[in-house]
Amino acid sequence: MKILIADDSRVMRQIVTRTLRQAGFGDHDLVEAADGKEALDKATAEGPDLVISDWNMPEMTGIEVLRQLRSAGNAVKFGFVTSECTPEMQQQAEAAGSLFFIVKPFTAERFDEVLSPILG
C-alpha cells in the first residue's frame, strides 16, 4: 500500500513518517510531496492508496489538491494533518471528500485510531 505525505515542511513530513511507523503503518510505501502542486502530480502519477496532506502549502492548498483530484474523478482516500482547524475548514474538507482531519500536535495512538479503519 502506498501513502503520499504532502507538507511544505520537511521536518513535518519526517514527523508524520515517524508517527506512521509508531502507529504500525511503517511497512507501507511512503512517498513525499513538498507542496500542493507536487502532491497533485504525485497523487495522479503514482496512484497512492492514501494521501495525508497539510492544509496550507505553497503552489496549491491541500483543499485545492483534494478538489482537483475529485473533479478529475480520482477517488483516492484523502485526509488532513494540519495545525489549524476551524469548523469551516472541517466542513469544506468533508464536503470535498476528506475522510479525516487530524490536528497537530498528534500522537501515534491518534493515527492508529483514525487510519486503522481506512487502511484495514
Side-chain angles (χ1 to χ4, degrees), residues 45-59:
E46 301 200 22
D49 299 287
L50 173 66
V51 177
I52 299 174
S53 179
D54 188 18
W55 188 278
N56 290 309
M57 295 183 288
E59 305 298 326

Side-chain angles (χ1 to χ4, degrees), residues 68-114:
Q68 289 225 9
L69 287 169
R70 293 297 184 257
S71 70
N74 187 327
V76 64
K77 293 172 184 170
F78 196 107
F80 291 96
V81 173
T82 185
S83 51
E84 297 181 63
C85 178
T86 66
E88 294 79 24
M89 288 168 76
Q90 284 190 295
Q91 288 167 349
Q92 285 181 44
E94 206 172 286
S98 173
L99 297 176
F100 59 87
F101 212 96
I102 298 174
V103 182
K104 302 170 190 172
F106 46 77
T107 62
E109 292 75 25
R110 177 76 177 132
F111 267 46
D112 182 47
E113 172 190 321
V114 170

Side-chain angles (χ1 to χ4, degrees), residues 2-55:
K2 186 181 288 189
I3 300 173
L4 173 61
I5 302 162
D7 198 301
D8 55 314
S9 163
R10 185 179 59 80
V11 170
M12 188 49 64
R13 291 193 306 272
Q14 291 172 334
I15 291 169
V16 169
T17 297
R18 185 179 68 228
T19 307
L20 283 167
R21 288 195 178 108
Q22 290 169 341
F25 303 109
D27 55 344
H28 297 301
D29 182 14
L30 305 178
V31 180
E32 294 184 12
D35 63 47
K37 171 115 179 54
E38 185 180 0
L40 180 63
D41 293 345
K42 285 190 174 182
T44 303
E46 301 200 22
D49 299 287
L50 173 66
V51 177
I52 299 174
S53 179
D54 188 18
W55 188 278

